[in-house]
Amino acid sequence: MSEQWVYCFHQGHAGMRELLGGKGAGLAEMTRAGLPVPPGFTITTEACRVYQANGRLTDELLDEIGKAVRWLEHEKGQWLADPRRPLLISVRSGAVDSMPGMMDTILNVGLNDETVAGLADNSSELVFAYDCYQRLVSMFGNVVMDVEPFFFEQKKQQLMAKYGYRSEAEVPARGWRELTEDYQDLIYYKTGRPFPQNVNTQLRMAIEAVFRSWNNPRAKVYRKVHGIPEDAGTAVNVQAMVFGNKGASSGTGVVFTRNPSTGDQGLYGEYLNEAQGEDVVSGVRTPRPIASLADEMPEVYSQLARIAEMLETHYADLQDIEFTVEMGKLYVLQTRGGKRSAQAAVKVAVDMANEGTISREQALMRIEPEHLDQLLHRTIDPTAKLDAVATGLPSSPGAACGQAVFHADTAERWAKEGRQTVLIRTETTPEDIHGVLAAQGVLTQRGGMTSHAAVVARGLGKPCICGCEALQVDAERRRAMIGEAVIEEGDWITFDGASGRIYRGQVPLVEAGMSEELTQLLHWADDIRHMRVMANADSPEDARRARQFGAEGVGLCRTEHMFMASERLPVVQRMILADSGKARAEALAELLPMQQADFAGLFREMDGLPVTIRLLDPPLHEFLPDMERLSDSLAELQSGRSSNEAPSAAELRRMGELESLIGKVRDLRETNPMMGQRGCRLGIVFPEIYAMQLQAIFRAAKQCLLEGVVVKPSLMVPLVGHVGELRLLREQAFRIATEELGEHARRCPFTVGTMIEVPRAALTAGQLAAVADFFSFGTNDLTQMTLGFSRDDAEGKFLN
């Protein structure tokens, strides 16, 4: 464990990320590079872990913090609690892995009833000083003292209405002063404790609050989604304040070195005049494009562009940079690897490799498996004739279609009920993350491309539109207005996160295709990889799509899925319910040509590539008629006449059929169908079933061979628990292959293996290996039988 708990920015470097967190390491590296970074210090992640264990800041840590504050005072020539030249500081979180908006920040620490006057050098800056003070009190009251932000916003709206202020820019110093007093009264009323006037107490409580925020609900959810360790902890960055709300030549913004949605080159971001950083990322105000800064402050924009280029080159990656302009002077507050959409991740990686900035291997390692999944986002059908009802900022690509909901809890609840939703909010906050996760997409009235909603949605691969000013959200009444149109909760809505267009109702969506960059990246992967990638495919259509995406064969064809079609299910039911060998043979004869056509289609699509076919593995309850429905039908027939009315011959015949069917279903019902007569057990008790499938496979193989198709079948025997089962069915497969292929047998080499999916098969794998040509692994059944729970149930209930 480190003996040092606190590092001034100039003492650190990028290699100390695990100790200083991502933000602290970035600030240290930029300070060493001579960039205009306000001075400050970082309290380490180790200190956070000690705080979590002890529930308090240790005396040793407080002593180090005190020394760092005195150094910072000397650097700035300003002092905490000095009523003439007060030092104001920000206290920000900074975990090792970026967690945007998930933990807490407190700005303007150091202001109190005395120092607020010293912040204003002259009377013209009183508005600025009291604006900063009201921001501190509301932020401190919320983050540190746990007063809901709603109450502060309510107080502000009451003040605006009282004096008729139409915007915050019209509020004079006395207005902000009155609001600050109202906030302090609110805090005392809600907590029984006053807002602390002692600035050292403010600093200590703010640091503790940031450490506590590591375990707030939204941070826990985010860590689970992104696989961030629970014990990693967050660093705390204490930094001298610079003020973007200090007049018309001041402002704040966020800029990406490339477009985080598309990956296109060029500065991309947003800027707000007369604002502090939280104004941009919170979504409370809709910012302007970064290009507007080039018009208003061309020198500052040029300096920012040079810094952005330098940082991207230094880190060899797309950067997300926070900056503030104070009275025409640029300050850089943070740089980090920018959160990006999957599309942008692929394009940036490929472009940087082609530019020579990184190697192809590095480009591949920058793509997460989730990125490839996200690239298969749906889009709106281009043939659909549509009129957009509104347009917002295209903040995260992909199309979303669902029922409108206005609260995160509703989105989560409806998703559990199997309903598709679109979460509509005035702006999202970190507390909404569970709703963002549950919804198909997110739509907000306010906020920009770097707001919380946009950043989180992009990271999760969710479509998102922000800053749709035509949208008026009334979350309390669970409705929204777009012009004269009303969207009630439950109404269907569709939007395109790539174009920003919004449509009412359900609009047809289509699956995504392969971009040029993704194709190139996958070719690079092919040059390096050692494994083949095969597909699950239960139909020729599945196989065709898989091959288009580069699959090198079918690793699993689940033949029971071929029987779920409406025209096949009755035939399968007749086969299962047959009370004689003759009746079963008739049903199997009807199924044989269907199966042969399926397998021939698979072989044609995978011409020259291996196809692994699992023999029938149906838990019988999935194919049997529903017992309750049969009983209801019988009861309806029996009660459909008066007590003295005799049933007709047709009714008697139908009742007899239903009673017979109910009896057969009752006989075949199993207490636990997943562990009953399925897999190879069914194939051994009724050998004619597997015989039909094997005949279909080898007849299809012969048919394709005669067409010139190269056929490479593998046969998988399901649910084997004893080597005798596999040996018996292997012999059956080779006997039928010889009968069906005849002289073509040499042109159709095939293998026979099994799926290891019961614990006994795993324990006797050595015996099975003497008979099997290959093994596959059925992790769901193995999990269920080994641990004694269903993975489907456990993941949704107690396992998490």
Side-chain angles (χ1 to χ4, degrees):
M1 183 177 290
S2 170
E3 295 181 356
Q4 186 172 344
W5 303 102
V6 178
Y7 288 82
C8 297
F9 292 162
H10 66 273
Q11 295 176 308
H13 55 77
M16 298 171 69
R17 185 183 183 93
E18 295 292 325
L19 192 63
L20 302 180
K23 185 176 294 183
L27 288 165
E29 193 75 1
M30 290 192 296
T31 299
R32 289 163 63 91
L35 297 184
V37 176
F41 56 88
T42 300
I43 306 169
T44 65
T45 56
E46 284 186 0
C48 178
R49 289 189 285 273
V50 171
Y51 173 82
Q52 300 293 347
N54 298 330
R56 65 180 184 87
L57 303 180
T58 64
D59 293 339
E60 294 84 358
L61 176 56
L62 288 171
D63 183 57
E64 280 198 49
I65 292 171
K67 291 177 182 176
V69 167
R70 289 191 288 276
W71 167 83
L72 183 55
E73 290 174 329
H74 182 266
E75 281 289 303
K76 289 288 292 180
Q78 298 170 318
W79 290 265
L80 280 177
D82 186 340
R84 291 166 300 172
R85 291 182 56 79
L87 172 67
L88 301 191
I89 51 184
S90 63
V91 182
R92 299 173 184 262
S93 61
V96 176
D97 296 288
S98 176
M99 296 172 59
M102 296 301 112
M103 292 177 293
D104 292 324
T105 290
I106 304 97
L107 305 179
N108 305 314
V109 172
L111 279 175
N112 59 21
D113 292 348
E114 292 185 353
T115 58
V116 66
L119 183 60
D121 293 334
N122 53 64
S123 60
S124 65
E125 293 185 346
L126 279 173
V127 173
F128 154 71
Y130 278 98
D131 178 27
C132 290
Y133 196 15
Q134 65 90 13
R135 289 170 183 265
L136 167 66
V137 177
S138 62
M139 194 176 289
F140 196 95
N142 170 228
V143 171
V144 182
M145 304 183 77
D146 297 321
V147 179
E148 291 291 328
F150 163 78
F151 295 108
F152 294 105
E153 183 64 26
Q154 188 179 54
K155 289 288 186 185
K156 183 186 291 185
Q157 294 306 319
Q158 288 171 353
L159 179 102
M160 302 282 283
K162 177 181 177 181
Y163 293 109
Y165 303 136
R166 289 168 298 179
S167 70
E168 293 184 16
E170 295 180 7
V171 181
R174 67 177 182 275
W176 290 133
R177 181 172 185 168
E178 180 180 335
L179 185 61
T180 304
E181 292 169 354
D182 290 344
Y183 283 169
Q184 293 185 8
D185 291 342
L186 172 66
I187 289 171
Y188 189 77
Y189 174 75
K190 288 290 184 181
T191 68
R193 295 179 294 157
F195 170 80
Q197 292 292 316
N198 184 302
V199 297
N200 289 299
T201 301
Q202 288 180 17
L203 176 59
R204 175 182 57 77
M205 292 177 70
I207 292 169
E208 289 175 334
V210 173
F211 277 156
R212 284 198 306 273
S213 72
W214 173 254
N215 282 321
N216 68 38
R218 63 181 184 266
K220 287 183 174 181
V221 171
Y222 191 91
R223 287 201 296 274
K224 180 182 286 187
V225 170
H226 292 278
I228 298 172
E230 290 290 317
D231 61 353
T234 181
V236 175
N237 298 289
V238 178
Q239 189 172 23
M241 284 291 301
V242 288
F243 301 97
N245 57 334
K246 203 170 185 180
S249 62
S250 302
T252 188
V254 177
V255 67
F256 293 83
T257 54
R258 304 185 189 215
N259 187 315
S261 289
T262 65
D264 292 337
Q265 288 187 320
L267 284 187
Y268 177 91
E270 294 167 324
Y271 173 77
L272 267 176
N273 277 107
E274 300 187 62
Q276 289 196 334
E278 290 300 299
D279 297 336
V280 177
V281 298
S282 69
V284 172
R285 290 168 59 188
T286 301
R288 290 180 290 168
I290 193 65
S292 64
L293 183 62
D295 299 328
E296 296 168 16
M297 303 182 202
E299 291 184 9
V300 170
Y301 181 84
S302 296
Q303 184 185 4
L304 178 64
R306 290 194 300 273
I307 289 172
E309 183 179 2
M310 188 200 86
L311 288 171
E312 180 177 277
T313 301
H314 180 79
Y315 286 101
D317 195 13
L318 181 157
Q319 293 297 292
D320 170 0
I321 302 165
E322 292 182 19
F323 68 93
T324 287
V325 181
E326 181 183 303
M327 301 180 69
K329 181 173 173 58
L330 175 68
Y331 294 92
V332 184
L333 305 183
Q334 174 175 308
T335 191
R336 60 187 174 188
K339 293 286 183 185
R340 65 207 76 179
S341 68
Q343 176 186 347
V346 170
K347 181 167 174 56
V348 169
V350 170
D351 286 351
M352 285 192 164
N354 289 332
E355 293 161 10
T357 305
I358 60 176
S359 67
R360 291 182 176 183
E361 289 81 0
Q362 288 173 309
L364 286 165
M365 294 305 293
R366 287 190 179 176
I367 307 304
E368 301 293 334
E370 293 80 10
H371 286 147
L372 299 180
D373 182 46
Q374 292 170 21
L375 280 170
L376 305 182
H377 273 313
R378 296 169 297 174
T379 56
I380 289 175
D381 186 344
T383 64
K385 293 182 179 180
L386 303 168
D387 289 319
V389 295
T391 302
L393 301 175
S395 304
S396 183
C401 181
Q403 293 175 275
V405 295
F406 297 91
H407 294 275
D409 292 345
T410 309
E412 184 177 51
R413 187 175 70 254
W414 285 17
K416 288 179 179 177
E417 295 170 3
R419 300 166 73 175
Q420 293 185 334
T421 63
V422 168
L423 179 62
I424 304 176
R425 301 284 284 159
T426 304
E427 68 263 345
T428 66
T429 69
E431 280 77 15
D432 293 321
I433 186 168
H434 59 295
V436 177
L437 279 167
Q440 300 295 305
V442 182
L443 177 60
T444 69
Q445 175 182 332
R446 298 203 294 254
M449 313 283 267
T450 53
S451 65
H452 171 266
V455 170
V456 171
R458 274 199 299 270
L460 293 172
K462 298 274 185 179
C464 178
I465 293 176
C466 293
C468 179
E469 296 178 356
L471 182 72
Q472 299 298 314
V473 178
D474 186 346
E476 189 172 337
R477 298 173 66 186
R478 297 178 182 267
R479 63 192 299 189
M481 299 286 292
I482 298 179
E484 297 299 316
V486 180
I487 300 171
E488 301 282 358
E489 187 157 85
D491 289 350
W492 283 86
I493 189 167
T494 306
F495 71 81
D496 181 4
S499 68
R501 295 188 182 91
I502 302 164
Y503 310 92
R504 294 195 68 184
Q506 290 179 273
V507 174
L509 306 179
V510 295
E511 299 300 326
M514 297 279 285
S515 69
E516 182 181 336
E517 288 82 10
L518 179 57
T519 301
Q520 187 170 16
L521 193 78
L522 293 176
H523 283 313
W524 292 348
D526 285 338
D527 294 338
I528 295 169
R529 67 186 169 89
H530 298 286
M531 295 178 67
R532 284 187 301 169
V533 178
M534 302 170 82
N536 281 5
D538 305 324
S539 69
E541 292 74 23
D542 289 346
R544 182 182 308 116
R545 192 177 305 112
R547 188 154 192 178
Q548 287 171 351
F549 280 105
E552 294 180 281
V554 172
L556 178 62
C557 170
R558 297 159 290 193
T559 55
E560 60 274 8
H561 288 194
M562 295 174 166
F563 295 131
M564 294 298 188
S566 58
E567 71 277 6
R568 298 185 182 192
L569 190 56
V571 186
V572 178
Q573 289 175 341
R574 286 208 315 273
M575 183 264 291
I576 292 172
L577 294 167
D579 51 11
S580 68
K582 181 173 181 281
R584 183 171 296 107
E586 289 174 353
L588 288 170
E590 198 171 336
L591 287 172
L592 177 58
M594 301 178 189
Q595 286 270 271
Q596 182 176 337
D598 289 335
F599 296 135
L602 281 171
F603 293 145
R604 291 189 190 103
E605 295 297 340
M606 287 290 150
D607 186 4
L609 297 177
V611 176
T612 301
I613 299 167
R614 185 174 71 190
L615 299 178
L616 196 64
D617 182 23
L620 290 183
H621 69 291
E622 293 183 4
F623 292 94
L624 292 175
D626 183 80
M627 174 70 85
E628 288 186 18
R629 197 170 294 171
L630 291 174
S631 299
D632 289 345
S633 298
L634 180 60
E636 190 176 330
L637 268 175
Q638 291 170 337
S639 63
R641 66 197 56 77
S642 61
S643 58
N644 58 0
E645 182 182 350
S648 68
E651 287 173 331
L652 281 171
R653 186 168 59 253
R654 178 59 182 153
M655 282 191 280
E657 291 171 352
L658 284 171
E659 287 171 347
S660 174
L661 190 54
I662 289 170
K664 291 177 182 177
V665 171
R666 186 179 289 116
D667 290 342
L668 288 169
R669 285 180 73 175
E670 296 176 311
T671 302
N672 188 341
M674 297 305 293
M675 295 189 181
Q677 189 171 351
R678 53 174 282 215
C680 66
R681 302 159 191 170
L682 184 69
I684 291 171
V685 174
F686 300 107
E688 60 270 29
I689 295 176
Y690 278 4
M692 179 276 292
Q693 287 201 296
L694 291 166
Q695 286 171 339
I697 290 168
F698 291 118
R699 288 181 187 181
K702 182 177 179 180
Q703 177 184 348
C704 290
L705 287 171
L706 293 172
E707 296 171 6
V709 175
V710 178
V711 181
K712 295 184 176 180
S714 293
L715 309 180
M716 182 188 294
V717 180
L719 218 72
V720 165
H722 189 282
V723 67
E725 295 168 327
L726 181 59
R727 184 179 290 113
L728 182 68
L729 293 171
R730 180 185 178 92
E731 290 169 357
Q732 182 187 29
F734 274 91
R735 182 176 66 255
I736 293 175
T738 301
E739 294 169 359
E740 296 295 338
L741 290 171
E743 62 183 16
H744 299 284
R746 291 194 309 274
R747 296 173 56 202
C748 184
F750 65 93
T751 57
V752 178
T754 187
M755 182 173 278
I756 304 292
E757 51 192 327
V758 301
R760 193 180 190 282
L763 294 171
T764 62
Q767 297 174 31
L768 293 173
V771 181
D773 297 316
F774 66 88
F775 285 162
S776 182
F777 295 87
T779 57
N780 196 36
D781 279 314
L782 271 177
T783 301
Q784 181 166 288
M785 296 190 209
T786 304
L787 299 178
F789 56 67
S790 163
R791 194 170 66 187
D792 294 334
D793 292 333
E795 287 179 349
K797 295 186 176 72
F798 61 84
L799 190 59
N800 289 339

